[in-house]
């Protein structure tokens, strides 16, 4: 009988899986750190702008606040895309159903809140409808996850 030699040690599959898991965890920690730094950096940027102006505190112009949210939104899109690619068909179905609930409730709530704004003082009815539809979607997602 001829002897067979294996170039890789025993347990190479487990080691490869462990390395991939560790790499994912390092990436997640880095993304969380960058997100936290950006979110905590927004008030810092506001203070630097006031310091450069040298006068009294003025609110930051809206375009600067909007521009500073672009990296946060980009990061959210990238994380969502990676999660979508890593998800199986059950998780994808739940995600599609959750987005459908958010869209349908937003569609209905936009009209209902706009009508209600005539009788109840609301500063921004569209934002109220968006928040309620997002809360409805979150509730749907949590209920489906608990039931599963």
């Amino acid at each position: 009988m001829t002897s067979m030699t294996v170039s890789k040690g025993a347990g190479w599959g487990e080691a490869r899986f462990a390395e991939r898991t560790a790499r994912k965890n390092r990436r997640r920690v880095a993304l969380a750190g960058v997100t936290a730094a950006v979110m905590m950096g927004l008030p810092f940027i506001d203070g630097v702008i006031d310091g450069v102006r040298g006068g009294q505190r003025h609110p930051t112009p809206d375009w600067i606040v909007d521009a500073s949210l672009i990296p946060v939104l980009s990061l959210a899109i990238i994380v969502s895309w990676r999660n979508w690619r890593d998800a199986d068909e059950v998780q994808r179905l739940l995600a599609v159903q959750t987005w459908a609930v958010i869209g349908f409730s937003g569609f209905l709530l936009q009209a209902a809140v706009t009508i209600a704004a005539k009788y109840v003082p609301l500063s921004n009815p569209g934002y109220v409808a968006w928040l309620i539809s997002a809360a409805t979607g979150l509730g749907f997602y949590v209920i489906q996850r608990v039931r599963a």
Side-chain angles (χ1 to χ4, degrees):
M1 182 170 270
T2 59
S3 65
M4 291 179 76
T5 59
V6 177
S7 61
K8 297 185 181 204
W12 64 270
E14 290 86 0
R16 182 176 172 199
F17 181 76
E19 175 60 32
R20 185 172 14 152
T21 303
R23 195 170 45 245
K24 280 184 181 180
N25 289 338
R26 286 192 303 267
R27 189 179 312 127
R28 287 179 181 156
V29 167
L31 285 174
V34 167
T35 303
V38 167
M39 293 308 291
M40 290 187 310
L42 293 177
F44 175 74
I45 292 170
D46 192 27
V48 168
I49 290 171
D50 289 337
V52 169
R53 288 181 181 157
Q56 294 181 354
R57 179 162 171 73
H58 297 287
T60 303
D62 288 338
W63 69 271
I64 293 177
V65 175
D66 294 341
S68 63
L69 290 176
I70 290 173
V72 175
L73 293 174
S74 300
L75 184 65
I77 290 169
I78 290 169
V79 169
S80 298
W81 176 251
R82 291 200 49 87
N83 287 343
W84 181 263
R85 288 183 53 207
D86 291 341
D88 62 2
E89 58 273 359
V90 175
Q91 292 171 327
R92 288 183 182 178
L93 176 64
L94 179 58
V96 168
Q97 289 173 341
T98 302
W99 283 111
V101 166
I102 291 171
F104 186 68
S105 64
F107 177 71
L108 295 177
L109 284 169
Q110 184 66 38
V113 172
T114 302
I115 293 169
K118 294 178 183 177
Y119 307 106
V120 179
L122 295 173
S123 62
N124 191 350
Y127 187 64
V128 172
W130 184 86
L131 284 176
I132 294 172
S133 66
T136 304
L138 181 64
F140 174 82
Y141 179 80
V142 168
I143 289 170
Q144 293 299 320
R145 290 291 295 204
V146 169
R147 286 178 50 197

